[in-house]
């Protein structure tokens, strides 16, 4: 379900029927996930969506705005999926809860068509300026989920009372977001490394 966010299309976009909005968004995801970012054109997107090129500029200023909006919507939907895990907090330790969040996030990404390819191209092909804008807007949404969890487990007595909530959420999120920079050996799985990182962090938070 599309909705307004920090990266806003023009108001005319929200006046479109839902079906037409979805066509534009789905066409954009298809193009950005398969073609190098610099080679994606407005023509290719509108042709795939079946809308006139002139009307595109009534909805978005350019392809960068559309691209930013795509990620904003995907991250919002992922956050909604993660919030559903909150009901398990009383049953799980902090470590178990964070790992459950990661598992839920992975399941969400597997359900979204072309998301893996879209993320890969975002990391390797997107311009630094656009990437910076997207990360600046979207990463704090992950902080919010973890901040709530850290606060809960402090009150539960599992984490230090003097722990800075925002710092803890920032450190965990940063480690997980930048896991691609970690040099894995052939025997290591990403999930195992994330567990090791989390264990190291939790030692400092207890």
């Amino acid at each position: 379900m599309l909705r307004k966010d920090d990266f806003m299309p023009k108001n005319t976009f929200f006046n479109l029927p839902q079906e037409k909005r979805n066509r534009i968004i789905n066409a954009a995801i298809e193009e950005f996930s398969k073609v190098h970012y610099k080679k994606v054109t407005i023509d290719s997107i509108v042709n795939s969506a079946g809308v006139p090129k002139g009307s595109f500029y009534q909805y978005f200023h350019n392809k960068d705005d559309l691209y930013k909006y795509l990620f904003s919507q995907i991250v919002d939907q992922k956050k909604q999926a993660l919030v559903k895990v909150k009901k398990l907090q009383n049953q799980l330790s902090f470590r178990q809860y964070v790992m459950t969040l990661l598992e839920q996030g992975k399941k969400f990404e597997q359900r979204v068509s072309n998301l893996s390819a879209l993320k890969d191209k975002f990391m390797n092909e997107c311009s630094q300026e656009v990437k910076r804008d997207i990360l600046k807007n979207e990463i704090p949404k992950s902080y919010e989920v973890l901040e709530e969890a850290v606060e809960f487990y402090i009150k539960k007595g599992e984490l230090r009372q003097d722990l800075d909530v925002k710092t803890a959420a920032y450190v965990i999120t940063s480690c997980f977001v930048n896991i691609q920079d970690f040099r894995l050996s052939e025997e290591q799985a990403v999930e195992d490394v994330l567990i090791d990182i989390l264990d190291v962090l939790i030692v400092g938070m207890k």
Side-chain angles (χ1 to χ4, degrees):
M1 184 71 178
L2 299 177
R3 64 186 179 81
K4 297 183 180 181
D5 206 322
D6 294 331
F7 291 137
M8 297 271 288
K10 298 178 182 180
N11 287 333
T12 48
F13 179 75
F14 296 106
N15 294 330
L16 292 174
Q18 185 70 52
E19 184 274 335
K20 190 171 184 178
R21 279 185 273 166
N22 287 342
R23 273 196 285 129
I24 295 172
I25 295 302
N26 291 335
I29 291 175
E30 184 79 8
E31 289 297 313
F32 284 121
S33 65
K34 292 184 176 180
V35 182
H36 193 290
Y37 186 81
K38 291 182 179 179
K39 294 184 178 180
V40 174
T41 65
I42 302 302
D43 284 336
S44 63
I45 294 172
V46 297
N47 287 339
S48 179
V51 299
K53 182 177 181 179
S55 65
F56 177 89
Y57 294 102
Q58 297 175 23
Y59 314 139
F60 298 92
H61 290 96
N62 50 46
K63 77 171 185 180
D64 288 349
D65 283 349
L66 173 56
Y67 191 70
K68 294 173 186 177
Y69 183 66
L70 289 182
F71 274 91
S72 180
Q73 297 307 291
I74 290 171
V75 173
D76 270 3
Q77 291 169 17
K78 183 176 181 179
K79 182 180 177 182
Q80 290 171 10
L82 295 181
V83 168
K84 294 178 181 178
V85 183
K86 190 174 181 179
K87 60 186 178 183
L88 300 175
Q89 284 181 329
N90 281 315
Q91 306 168 34
L92 303 174
S93 67
F94 180 70
R95 180 184 187 276
Q96 292 171 326
Y97 184 69
V98 175
M99 294 309 300
T100 302
L101 286 176
L102 287 171
E103 291 170 6
Q104 191 69 20
K106 185 176 180 180
K107 289 179 181 178
F108 169 83
E109 294 185 2
Q110 290 172 342
R111 291 197 301 268
V112 179
S113 178
N114 296 324
L115 182 54
S116 178
L118 189 66
K119 286 176 59 180
D120 182 66
K121 287 187 173 296
F122 168 75
M123 295 304 300
N124 297 302
E125 299 175 1
C126 181
S127 71
Q128 289 301 314
E129 181 180 358
V130 172
K131 185 186 297 184
R132 183 177 63 248
D133 286 345
I134 291 174
L135 292 176
K136 183 179 180 180
N137 188 70
E138 305 310 325
I139 294 298
K141 295 176 184 177
S142 297
Y143 297 160
E144 291 169 9
V145 174
L146 278 172
E147 282 174 11
E148 291 180 1
V150 171
E151 287 177 345
F152 176 85
Y153 284 96
I154 288 175
K155 292 177 181 177
K156 194 177 178 181
E158 188 173 328
L159 302 180
R160 289 188 351 236
Q161 294 296 310
D162 64 343
L163 184 64
D164 185 90
V165 173
K166 290 186 178 296
T167 300
Y170 171 80
V171 171
I172 295 172
T173 303
S174 296
C175 288
F176 289 175
V177 167
N178 295 300
I179 189 64
Q180 73 276 356
D181 295 331
F182 189 91
R183 292 187 176 182
L184 298 173
S185 67
E186 293 183 1
E187 297 80 21
Q188 287 178 307
V190 171
E191 290 79 7
D192 293 335
V193 174
L194 289 175
I195 291 172
D196 290 342
I197 291 173
L198 183 58
D199 286 341
V200 170
L201 296 176
I202 288 176
V203 169
M205 291 190 288
K206 284 189 172 182

